[in-house]
Amino acid sequence: MSKEKKRKIIDDKDKEGLVYFEIWGILLILISIILVSELGPVGRTLNTLFKMIFGDWYWLILIFMFYYGALMIIYHEFITYTSIKIKGIIFISAGLLIYSHFPIYNALEDTINTNNSNIVTETYNLFLSYINKNKLSSAFGGGLLGAFFFWITYVLLGEIGTRIIAIILLVSGVAYIFEKTIYDFIDDIYFGTVNYYKKSKKIVKNTLTKMHEASKLNKIQKSEVISEKVPFVNSENQGFKNIVLTKSEHIDMKRPKYIKPSMRVLKYHENKNVLERQKEITIQNARTINDFLNSFHFNLEINEVYIGSTISTYIIEVENSIKTKKIINYSKDLVNRLETNNIRIYEKYENKQCLIIEVPNEYRYLVSLREILEEDSDKDLIPIGRNYSGKIYSINFLIMANILMIGNDINSKIDLLKTIINVIVFKFNPSEFKIVCCDSTKFELNQFEDIPHLYYHFISDFQSMKPMLIKLYTEVEQRLNNIENNETNLTPILLILNDFVDFYINNNDYLKYLNYILVYGSKVKVYTIYATNNMDDRILTNNLRAQFDGLIAFMINNKEISFKYLEDDATKLLKDGDCLIFSRSDNTNTRLQAVNLTNDDRFY
């Protein structure tokens, strides 16, 4: 009863706070509308006042008021002036006010020198004359605020110094808003210019090549045709004595040399101090877990703690499974103490018998594609994210040749498939690694339909599946024969099936080819990733599932399905790349935070 009463008091307080923010938000929106519409004497007066203070940029203030009011209604919090983006807006506003006041100063320069006055006073007098003459549509420059900033910088640094200060404020504001250093801007401008130059050069070169080929073909057609005469006698038609055969012309087109894309096009995530902020929370949770263990007299304590990207992992050495079962039986009490529902508790044997407790982090570290590529040290592996201890995790196709990717978190599945393809494109030349990309959604992976690593053209329809499977089936057979003849120089081929979950239901040939590729492909470096969120037994049959060496599971809504596929609880997984990877070779599950892709994380 006491808990319910306390909860009610907290809810009432929260509601009062929410209404408070919403009222402020509505007021700001109404004020901005009244000002911009000049409604009544109040609206006209306030509009004039804002023009006098902020000059010709007063409308930016009105937009900001409207925007900020809407944010207060949505997020229920006041503006944080320590925010780097707000600092950027302030810097840009100051630069605009100073720079736009130069025309006003030039117009009033003679008056200032004659009256021995200053720009602020004369600007104010100018506005009063505008008001008296009802010329409110005249130029206001940077307003009184801009005049004040202008006067200070002009007195201290002169005209050139004032212009420099205004430009510095504008550049600094832009840098703050986009959260980039000047070096980053120079880097983006330089490499953007270089990339644009390369693309333009490539377009011009291709155009000239086509023009040259067209001109060459035209000349060939106009020139005398070299012919061969083959004697031929037809008994029925003596007049038809010779057949003229024209020699065919062949033009050898050399493929351009493949240049691996630069990692500079990729961006890091903003993770500054994320792990430091999480450290104190993780330590406090460790104290809570130890208090929980002591309160039930388990005579245990935490032996190791790891702060990962998404979760903090607490490892407790236990003497036997009896204590583990007792702790799991009291897990609801631990959940209440830690105030989170997504806690995973399970037993694991690694050199010693251990109890593992995984608690979601309050501050999440976003794993970028660039950082895992930079830290990757094995040229044969495919890095895809970080494990529970923060170390790079990579797929080894020699161990997990066939991977089944399941889960209800569709966005995470798409991002992981894109990550794998991007890593292959970056690490390998087209001659070193091939990809077969099949995507029935027609849009999730279509950005890769023109990559040079494709072994077979991009497939988005069921009709193209059979010829592709036959070609891959034939390739596997040929490679098996080559192995028998001691020819082992094989280029890896990765078959990606994204949501083609029922293409083999009505045609047994499809399933025959697919099974053959799954069973024998791993022996000749032909690998398969089968990704789907449809976990129906009629589609993912027991026989088909048995062919996969590894399984990657994102969050699954149904606990029964989770244990059937994974023998583990994937309902506790978080979204945005949090997953479990099961390896059949060592019968272990690994918690992983996959790469968090952005729209800019693409080489093609």
Side-chain angles (χ1 to χ4, degrees):
M1 181 67 72
S2 60
K3 287 186 178 179
E4 291 180 1
K5 185 175 181 181
K6 183 178 180 181
R7 189 180 296 114
K8 184 177 179 181
I9 293 172
I10 293 173
D11 289 345
D12 289 342
K13 184 177 179 181
D14 288 343
K15 288 179 181 178
E16 182 182 350
L18 296 179
V19 173
Y20 174 75
F21 285 114
E22 289 176 357
I23 290 174
W24 270 105
I26 293 171
L27 283 174
L28 287 174
I29 292 173
L30 286 175
I31 291 172
S32 63
I33 292 173
I34 290 171
L35 283 169
V36 76
S37 304
E38 299 184 32
L39 298 177
V42 174
R44 288 192 294 272
T45 303
L46 290 175
N47 186 280
T48 303
L49 180 63
F50 266 66
K51 286 181 180 179
M52 289 181 64
I53 297 174
F54 302 105
D56 297 327
W57 301 100
Y58 79 101
W59 53 273
L60 284 178
I61 305 300
L62 301 184
I63 293 174
F64 179 75
M65 287 174 62
F66 188 93
Y67 173 72
Y68 180 47
L71 288 184
M72 289 185 68
I73 295 173
I74 296 170
Y75 295 109
H76 303 102
E77 59 182 10
F78 284 115
I79 192 170
T80 304
Y81 287 96
T82 56
S83 168
I84 191 169
K85 284 186 169 57
I86 297 300
K87 290 179 181 178
I89 293 173
I90 293 173
F91 275 38
I92 289 176
S93 301
L96 288 174
L97 292 178
I98 292 173
Y99 211 91
S100 61
H101 212 71
F102 269 99
I104 302 297
Y105 174 77
N106 294 332
L108 298 175
E109 186 175 6
D110 295 336
T111 306
I112 293 172
N113 294 333
T114 304
N115 298 336
N116 196 21
S117 182
N118 59 66
I119 185 64
V120 179
T121 303
E122 295 303 326
T123 301
Y124 177 71
N125 293 333
L126 178 65
F127 292 157
L128 289 181
S129 67
Y130 284 160
I131 294 172
N132 293 333
K133 296 177 182 179
N134 291 324
K135 294 183 179 180
L136 296 181
S137 60
S138 302
F140 289 83
L144 293 178
L145 191 60
F148 178 73
F149 290 149
F150 181 92
W151 175 61
I152 292 176
T153 54
Y154 192 88
V155 170
L156 296 176
L157 303 172
E159 182 177 349
I160 296 176
T162 303
R163 292 184 185 275
I164 292 173
I165 291 296
I167 293 171
I168 290 174
L169 287 172
L170 288 170
V171 173
S172 301
V174 173
Y176 272 132
I177 286 178
F178 291 98
E179 299 185 19
K180 290 187 176 183
T181 63
I182 295 176
Y183 172 79
D184 291 332
F185 274 114
I186 295 173
D187 187 68
D188 290 344
I189 292 171
Y190 172 74
F191 285 102
T193 305
V194 170
N195 291 334
Y196 180 77
Y197 168 75
K198 288 181 179 178
K199 289 181 180 179
S200 302
K201 183 179 178 182
K202 185 177 179 181
I203 292 171
V204 172
K205 187 176 180 180
N206 290 339
T207 304
L208 292 174
T209 302
K210 291 179 180 178
M211 290 172 64
H212 175 70
E213 290 174 1
S215 176
K216 185 177 179 181
L217 183 61
N218 189 39
K219 289 178 181 178
I220 291 172
Q221 291 174 347
K222 289 182 179 180
S223 64
E224 185 178 353
V225 176
I226 302 173
S227 61
E228 293 178 330
K229 291 188 177 181
V230 180
F232 177 80
V233 178
N234 191 326
S235 59
E236 296 180 0
N237 188 353
Q238 295 295 328
F240 206 59
K241 295 183 178 180
N242 295 300
I243 297 176
V244 178
L245 302 177
T246 304
K247 291 182 177 179
S248 60
E249 298 290 338
H250 297 281
I251 300 175
D252 294 329
M253 299 294 293
K254 292 184 178 179
R255 290 185 178 181
K257 184 180 179 181
Y258 180 74
I259 301 175
K260 290 182 181 179
S262 172
M263 279 192 294
R264 290 181 178 273
V265 301
L266 305 177
K267 305 298 180 184
Y268 296 106
H269 288 295
E270 182 57 51
N271 289 315
K272 188 176 181 181
N273 300 327
V274 167
L275 297 179
E276 282 298 320
R277 292 197 296 268
Q278 179 60 38
K279 183 178 179 181
E280 183 58 37
I281 299 172
T282 299
I283 293 173
Q284 182 58 45
N285 286 339
R287 296 192 188 103
T288 302
I289 294 172
N290 279 332
D291 290 342
F292 162 77
L293 296 172
N294 291 331
S295 64
F296 289 97
H297 307 290
F298 289 122
N299 296 324
L300 297 171
E301 63 179 12
I302 296 171
N303 300 100
E304 294 178 84
V305 177
Y306 294 97
I307 303 177
S309 306
T310 308
I311 59 167
S312 291
T313 304
Y314 306 86
I315 301 177
I316 304 165
E317 294 180 8
V318 294
E319 301 168 0
N320 50 58
S321 297
I322 297 175
K323 284 193 174 183
T324 301
K325 291 177 181 178
K326 287 183 179 180
I327 294 172
I328 293 175
N329 289 336
Y330 290 104
S331 60
K332 287 186 179 180
D333 183 79
L334 180 59
V335 169
N336 291 332
R337 293 186 185 210
L338 294 173
E339 298 180 351
T340 180
N341 293 323
N342 290 333
I343 297 176
R344 294 179 74 244
I345 305 176
Y346 58 94
E347 191 176 25
K348 193 172 186 179
Y349 188 86
E350 289 183 356
N351 299 325
K352 294 181 180 180
Q353 196 164 355
C354 297
L355 178 72
I356 311 296
I357 301 176
E358 295 174 349
V359 182
N361 289 342
E362 185 172 332
Y363 297 97
R364 187 166 189 163
Y365 181 96
L366 298 178
V367 181
S368 66
L369 178 59
R370 181 168 178 174
E371 69 186 74
I372 66 164
L373 286 171
E374 288 179 340
E375 295 183 33
D376 177 46
S377 57
D378 195 320
K379 65 177 184 178
D380 296 322
L381 303 184
I382 309 296
I384 60 171
R386 296 186 182 274
N387 64 11
Y388 68 93
S389 62
K391 294 181 180 179
I392 293 293
Y393 182 92
S394 300
I395 293 176
N396 186 349
F397 283 117
L398 296 178
I399 297 175
M400 290 196 300
N402 302 317
I403 299 173
L404 177 62
M405 192 182 296
I406 59 173
N408 299 113
D409 185 4
I410 299 175
N411 291 333
S412 295
K413 178 203 70 172
I414 299 169
D415 279 356
L416 184 52
L417 290 175
K418 289 182 178 179
T419 297
I420 292 170
I421 297 174
N422 275 320
V423 170
I424 292 172
V425 168
F426 173 79
K427 292 189 65 173
F428 302 97
N429 292 329
S431 60
E432 297 173 334
F433 208 115
K434 294 291 184 181
I435 300 173
V436 179
C437 196
C438 308
D439 179 20
S440 65
T441 66
K442 300 183 180 181
F443 66 90
E444 291 179 352
L445 301 178
N446 62 350
Q447 71 186 67
F448 302 107
E449 62 184 351
D450 294 323
I451 60 174
H453 294 70
L454 291 181
Y455 173 79
Y456 195 86
H457 66 79
F458 184 85
I459 294 176
S460 59
D461 59 273
F462 289 85
Q463 290 76 15
S464 302
M465 289 296 292
K466 189 168 184 177
M468 182 276 295
L469 289 170
I470 293 173
K471 182 176 175 64
L472 210 53
Y473 169 86
T474 306
E475 178 72 23
V476 172
E477 276 195 328
Q478 291 176 350
R479 290 188 175 202
L480 288 171
N481 293 331
N482 291 339
I483 288 178
E484 293 179 359
N485 298 327
N486 296 323
E487 298 179 20
T488 57
N489 188 18
L490 303 174
T491 301
I493 300 175
L494 175 61
L495 169 61
I496 296 178
L497 297 170
N498 180 37
D499 275 336
F500 269 101
V501 293
D502 55 355
F503 69 92
Y504 52 81
I505 296 297
N506 299 321
N507 191 326
N508 192 51
D509 288 342
Y510 288 105
L511 187 58
K512 180 186 72 174
Y513 294 132
L514 180 60
N515 276 326
Y516 186 88
I517 293 167
L518 289 171
V519 173
Y520 296 103
S522 58
K523 300 178 181 180
V524 289
K525 294 187 178 180
V526 177
Y527 313 123
T528 302
I529 294 179
Y530 188 108
T532 179
N533 62 323
N534 189 333
M535 291 164 275
D536 194 318
D537 287 338
R538 294 171 297 177
I539 295 173
L540 296 179
T541 62
N542 291 331
N543 290 334
L544 183 61
R545 296 206 307 268
Q547 309 303 330
F548 292 97
D549 312 294
L551 187 147
I552 300 177
F554 296 100
M555 188 196 69
I556 297 175
N557 295 333
N558 189 298
K559 185 176 288 189
E560 182 181 347
I561 293 176
S562 174
F563 275 97
K564 181 175 70 174
Y565 280 86
L566 200 64
E567 296 182 2
D568 205 334
D569 188 4
T571 63
K572 300 294 184 182
L573 293 177
L574 310 174
K575 291 187 176 182
D576 301 322
D578 186 27
C579 62
L580 286 171
I581 298 184
F582 171 73
S583 175
R584 192 185 296 275
S585 61
D586 54 8
N587 197 33
T588 58
N589 284 337
T590 302
R591 184 91 177 253
L592 177 75
Q593 174 58 50
V595 168
N596 302 105
L597 287 179
T598 67
N599 293 330
D600 297 325
D601 285 340
R602 53 185 294 178
F603 292 119
Y604 284 89

